[in-house]
Amino acid sequence: MELLDRYLQAVKRHLPWERQDDIIAELRANLEAQLEDKEAEMGRPLTKEEAEAWLKQIGSPIQVAARYQRQQYLIGPAVFPTYWFVLRLAITWGAIIYSIAKAVDIAAHGLGAEAIVSAVIYLPWVLLINAAIVTLVFAAIEQVGVRYPGKCVPFAPMAPAWSPSGLPPMGVDEANKPRSFAKASAEVIFGFLFLGWLLLVPHYPYLMFGPGAWYLRLPYQLAPVWLSFYWCLVGINIFELTWKIVDLARGAWQRPKSRAKHLSMHTLSLIPLSVLLAAPDHMLFLLKKPEDAVTLGGALASANKGVHLALTIALAIVVLQLVWGAGKMGVEAWRNRVAAMR
C-alpha cells in the first residue's frame, strides 16, 4: 500500500537514527496487521479516503515517532525544529547586533583595549540570556499545547494539522527536494542582474547607499583596501554564477543545494573579510585632506578601531559557522557509514 509506505517514510524522518530500521520494521508489521483486519472485516480493500481516515486516527508521523523517543523532552520533537531555527536566529542576530552596538560605542567614546576585552568577555552572557529566553518561551508553548490541546489549538504543537495525502512521495526527502527548472533559471537570471548592479556601484554609489551616499561629502574616504575587498566580492559572485550556469548546462539543476557547496561559499566569504582585516595599520578610512589630521585624527582612529573590531567578530562568527557545518557533515557521513555496515 503506497500510502502506508509514504506514512512510514515520514515517521522514519523523526526517529532516532540508530534505531530507525528496527522501529519501522516493527511498526510496519503492526500497521499491516491492522490493515488486514480492517479489510477482512469489510470484505474489500480500503478506499483511498478510508485509508487516509485510518491513518489520521493513528496520528501524525511526528506523534507516532514521539512514542519511540528515549525520554520526555522539555521541548518535544514536534516543536524542536521550530525552536532550533528560532534559537539559531536569535543567537546569530543577537551576536551581530551586540557586536555592532559595542563597536560603535567603543569608537564613539574612544575606549581602549580594556573595553574591547570586556565586550568580548560579556558576549557569551548576552547569547546565553537570548538562548534562555527562547528556550523558556518554547518550553511554555510545549507544556500548554500538551496539557490543553483542545482549548489552546494554536499552541498545540503535538497535534498539528496534517493530511495523509500531503505526505511526500516515496524516496523524496522534504529537506532536499529537487529544484525546478524555473527556479534554477531564475537563480541564474537574478545572479546576472545582481552582478551587473555590483559592477555599477563604483560609478554610481547611490545604487548601494541610496540617500546614504551623502557620505561622499564627508572629510573621510575609503582606504585603498576597500577596492581589493570590492573585487573579491565580484570574483566570488562570478564564481557562484558560473557554478549555477554549469549546473544548468549539464542538466544538474534538479539537484538540491549540497551542504558541501554551501560550506565552500562560506569559506570563500572569509577572503574579503581577511582582506579588510589585513589592511596596513588597520587603516580602513582615511582623511581626504591630510591637514585635517589635527582636528579629525582622533575620530578617524576611533572609527578605524571600531570597524576593525566589528570585522574581527564577523570573521569569528563565519569561522564558527564553518566549523559547525563541517561537524554536521562529518556526523552525517559517520551515520551513513554506520547504517551501511548494519
Side-chain angles (χ1 to χ4, degrees):
M1 183 180 181
E2 183 192 7
L3 190 59
L4 179 58
D5 292 335
R6 290 163 56 193
Y7 181 79
L8 292 172
Q9 175 185 252
V11 173
K12 186 176 180 179
R13 292 182 58 245
H14 303 285
L15 292 172
W17 71 271
E18 69 277 11
R19 300 170 54 216
Q20 284 179 344
D21 294 335
D22 295 336
I23 293 174
I24 288 299
E26 176 187 345
L27 187 59
R28 179 184 294 277
N30 292 337
L31 293 181
E32 286 179 346
Q34 292 182 31
L35 180 60
E36 289 177 2
D37 292 342
K38 274 187 165 293
E39 291 181 341
E41 180 182 345
M42 300 180 68
R44 58 175 175 80
L46 296 184
T47 64
K48 180 181 178 181
E49 291 74 16
E50 291 170 341
E52 289 184 6
W54 169 58
L55 290 176
K56 292 200 73 171
Q57 288 178 355
I58 296 172
S60 70
I62 292 178
Q63 286 178 291
V64 173
R67 301 168 192 163
Y68 294 90
Q69 299 297 330
R70 291 196 180 99
Q71 63 184 51
Q72 294 295 322
Y73 295 96
L74 178 65
I75 298 175
V79 181
F80 187 80
T82 305
Y83 161 73
W84 183 238
F85 172 78
V86 174
L87 180 63
R88 287 184 295 175
L89 202 64
I91 289 177
T92 301
W93 281 106
I96 292 173
I97 293 172
Y98 172 82
S99 302
I100 293 174
K102 279 296 182 181
V104 171
D105 180 60
I106 291 172
H109 295 88
L111 303 177
E114 184 179 348
I116 297 175
V117 173
S118 176
V120 173
I121 292 175
Y122 192 68
L123 176 61
W125 292 104
V126 173
L127 302 183
L128 183 62
I129 292 171
N130 286 346
I133 293 173
V134 173
T135 301
L136 287 174
V137 170
F138 275 87
I141 292 175
E142 170 75 18
Q143 294 305 313
V144 171
V146 169
R147 295 189 181 188
Y148 309 102
K151 297 181 180 180
C152 304
V153 176
F155 302 100
M158 291 304 294
W162 74 287
S163 172
S165 60
L167 294 172
M170 287 299 298
V172 174
D173 185 354
E174 286 186 300
N176 296 298
K177 288 183 178 179
R179 294 184 296 167
S180 65
F181 179 77
K183 183 176 181 180
S185 301
E187 289 180 356
V188 171
I189 293 171
F190 282 106
F192 271 112
L193 293 176
F194 179 78
L195 181 60
W197 171 83
L198 193 61
L199 291 173
L200 289 173
V201 165
H203 306 286
Y204 306 98
Y206 191 88
L207 291 174
M208 174 173 284
F209 300 102
W214 63 270
Y215 85 91
L216 295 172
R217 297 193 293 271
L218 293 176
Y220 307 102
Q221 63 181 358
L222 299 177
V225 69
W226 286 95
L227 185 61
S228 301
F229 169 81
Y230 167 78
W231 285 113
C232 283
L233 289 183
V234 172
I236 291 173
N237 277 275
I238 291 175
F239 175 78
E240 185 177 16
L241 181 58
T242 303
W243 196 332
K244 292 178 179 178
I245 293 173
V246 170
D247 281 349
L248 197 63
R250 293 174 52 202
W253 48 268
Q254 288 183 322
R255 298 175 186 171
K257 292 183 179 179
S258 65
R259 182 164 289 160
K261 181 177 180 180
H262 179 73
L263 285 178
S264 64
M265 296 307 301
H266 244 66
T267 304
L268 287 176
S269 68
L270 293 174
I271 298 176
L273 286 174
S274 301
V275 167
L276 291 180
L277 288 172
D281 299 323
H282 301 162
M283 295 297 291
L284 299 169
F285 307 100
L286 302 172
L287 290 172
K288 292 181 179 177
K289 299 178 181 179
E291 56 268 24
D292 291 335
V294 176
T295 56
L296 300 175
L300 177 67
S302 298
N304 281 319
K305 184 186 297 183
V307 174
H308 185 268
L309 173 62
L311 290 171
T312 303
I313 295 173
L315 181 68
I317 291 173
V318 174
V319 170
L320 288 175
Q321 289 177 333
L322 279 171
V323 172
W324 177 261
K328 290 179 71 175
M329 281 187 64
V331 170
E332 287 183 1
W334 176 71
R335 288 180 175 178
N336 293 334
R337 189 159 49 247
V338 171
M341 293 172 60
R342 295 180 63 183

